[in-house]
């Protein structure tokens, strides 16, 4: 899979992609990451990429010409043919659709993703109209540039690509996992997978030592009864989701037992 990043600060990406999963995927050839310096597509002495906004107001806007020339030279398909070519051009924007794990899965099914990183007040809207296929936001806050947002999305996508993670199940059965509790799962039974998923947040994890600063690892994890461990993990995943992201429970796959666990949590809360 190939990624292209268009930015006025291409060196910004030297750091984030030099470590961990993305660096490994690039080294083994599973992904190619190319950066494009927008200033190379300017034609004036000062390499100007921005200008004042029409209509007045705060700040500056990224000019359309350098962005257009940069994207035009990338050998991308016409906008109307991009889906068939499994390519997409993403404009990073606080005004975009919120990025989700489901979107990461969709992007991981493509061959090429181009990220247009805005700066200042943003990008001249005609670039969005003419060249971009989607506008994505990584959250309800304003960053000073699209580079961090692009790096976040690229990281989330790369770890989903076949062969990138040592254990492919790691990317299936985790928080926001789009997959259910695994093959063989029967509603009403304890999920056969050791993992939660099914739209829940992940359960809490522990490693050695068994006791740290007076806090012991939950007994059940030390006893070796895997049915009990699965049940405990499922309950803790439900509890985390209920506490931190209750809205996710509406679309999660819940068994009768899960619902009982949630009622118990509600009851305990009322009694507190
Ligand atoms: N004037 C814009 C607004 O109010 O929506 C904010 C512009 S912001 C200072 C500069 C650039 O950062 C944007 O063009 C975009 O590329 C990027 N950016 C800021 N917040 C973002 C977010 N939540 N998600 C993705 N990109 C973001």
């Amino acid at each position: 899979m190939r990624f292209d990043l268009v930015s006025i600060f291409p060196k910004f990406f030297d750091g984030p992609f030099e470590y961990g999963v993305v660096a490994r995927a690039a080294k083994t050839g599973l992904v190619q990451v190319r950066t494009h310096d927008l200033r190379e597509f300017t034609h004036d002495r000062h390499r100007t990429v921005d200008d004042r906004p029409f209509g007045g107001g705060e700040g500056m806007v990224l000019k359309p010409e350098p962005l257009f020339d940069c994207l035009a030279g990338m050998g991308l398909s016409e906008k109307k043919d991009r889906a068939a070519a499994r390519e997409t051009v993403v404009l990073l924007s606080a005004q975009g659709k919120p990025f989700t794990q489901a979107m990461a899965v969709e992007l991981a099914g493509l061959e090429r993703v181009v990220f247009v990183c805005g700066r200042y007040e943003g990008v001249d809207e005609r670039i969005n109209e003419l060249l971009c296929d989607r506008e994505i936001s990584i959250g309800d806050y304003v960053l000073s540039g699209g580079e961090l947002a692009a790096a976040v999305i690229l990281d989330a996508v790369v770890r989903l690509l076949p062969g990138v993670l040592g254990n492919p199940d790691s990317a299936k059965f985790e928080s926001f996992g789009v997959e259910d509790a695994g093959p063989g799962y029967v509603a009403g039974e304890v999920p056969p997978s050791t993992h939660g998923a099914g739209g829940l947040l992940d359960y809490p994890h522990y490693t050695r030592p068994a006791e740290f600063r007076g806090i012991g690892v939950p007994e059940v994890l030390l006893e070796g009864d895997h049915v009990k461990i699965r049940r405990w993990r499922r309950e803790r995943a439900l509890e985390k989701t209920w506490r931190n992201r209750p809205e996710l429970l509406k679309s999660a796959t819940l068994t009768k037992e899960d619902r009982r666990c949630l009622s118990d949590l509600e009851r305990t809360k009322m009694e507190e």
Side-chain angles (χ1 to χ4, degrees):
M1 183 167 184
R2 174 171 170 166
F3 296 93
D4 294 89
L5 299 135
V6 180
S7 165
I8 59 167
F9 298 126
K11 289 229 168 290
F12 189 98
F13 298 106
D14 287 356
F17 302 149
E18 268 175 22
Y19 303 94
V21 165
V22 176
R24 212 169 48 234
K27 209 178 269 173
T28 55
L30 287 167
V31 300
Q32 277 182 292
V33 182
R34 297 262 184 283
T35 54
H36 304 264
D37 182 354
L38 198 54
R39 290 196 195 276
E40 283 178 11
F41 299 86
T42 55
H43 304 289
D44 65 316
R45 201 156 54 92
H46 302 291
R47 308 178 86 203
T48 311
V49 287
D50 58 330
D51 206 340
R52 290 192 305 275
F54 274 121
E58 303 300 309
M60 301 294 270
V61 177
L62 282 182
K63 288 157 66 64
E65 301 94 326
L67 279 164
F68 192 93
D69 290 351
C70 175
L71 288 156
M74 281 189 192
L76 286 161
S77 315
E78 293 284 312
K79 204 172 162 178
K80 63 177 174 40
D81 302 324
R82 297 244 180 91
R86 297 174 60 214
E87 296 172 344
T88 196
V89 178
V90 176
L91 174 64
L92 283 320
S93 161
Q95 302 137 43
K97 291 195 177 151
F99 183 58
T100 61
Q101 187 69 8
M103 247 183 223
V105 171
E106 188 197 337
L107 295 179
L110 302 178
E111 279 176 14
R112 189 172 182 190
V113 178
V114 178
F115 293 107
V116 178
C117 304
R119 278 273 155 181
Y120 316 121
E121 287 307 315
V123 169
D124 186 293
E125 189 64 19
R126 289 164 291 186
I127 289 300
N128 190 12
E129 210 172 298
L130 289 168
L131 296 172
C132 301
D133 305 301
R134 49 186 106 203
E135 205 176 344
I136 300 182
S137 161
I138 62 158
D140 291 350
Y141 39 78
V142 179
L143 301 166
S144 50
E147 290 78 5
L148 277 173
V152 164
I153 296 175
L154 189 149
D155 185 283
V157 172
V158 166
R159 61 192 297 287
L160 296 177
L161 298 176
V164 168
L165 293 186
N167 176 1
D169 277 356
S170 306
K172 280 190 201 158
F173 305 117
E174 60 186 354
S175 299
F176 316 110
V178 207
E179 302 242 352
D180 207 334
Y185 173 73
V186 179
E189 286 183 4
V190 177
S193 162
T194 51
H195 303 271
L200 299 180
L201 299 182
D202 205 359
Y203 53 79
H205 299 267
Y206 295 87
T207 183
R208 271 172 281 271
E211 185 167 320
F212 180 69
R213 302 232 156 192
I215 305 178
V217 167
E219 257 331 284
V220 62
L221 300 179
L222 307 172
E223 288 166 354
D225 180 335
H226 288 285
V227 171
K228 272 196 189 164
I229 291 173
R230 282 200 294 269
R231 193 184 300 278
W232 181 88
R233 285 179 167 169
R234 182 73 180 175
E235 286 171 359
R236 297 294 70 77
L238 284 161
E239 187 177 355
K240 276 242 176 192
T241 313
W242 174 78
R243 264 188 216 293
N244 295 340
R245 297 290 305 277
E247 78 283 5
L248 295 177
L249 292 170
K250 288 196 196 97
S251 48
T253 318
L254 298 179
T255 65
K256 231 194 260 172
E257 191 140 343
D258 292 340
R259 291 186 193 284
R260 205 172 307 131
C261 169
L262 290 168
S263 310
D264 288 348
L265 289 166
E266 289 288 350
R267 201 171 319 113
T268 318
K269 188 181 164 192
M270 304 250 279
E271 285 165 8
E272 275 168 11

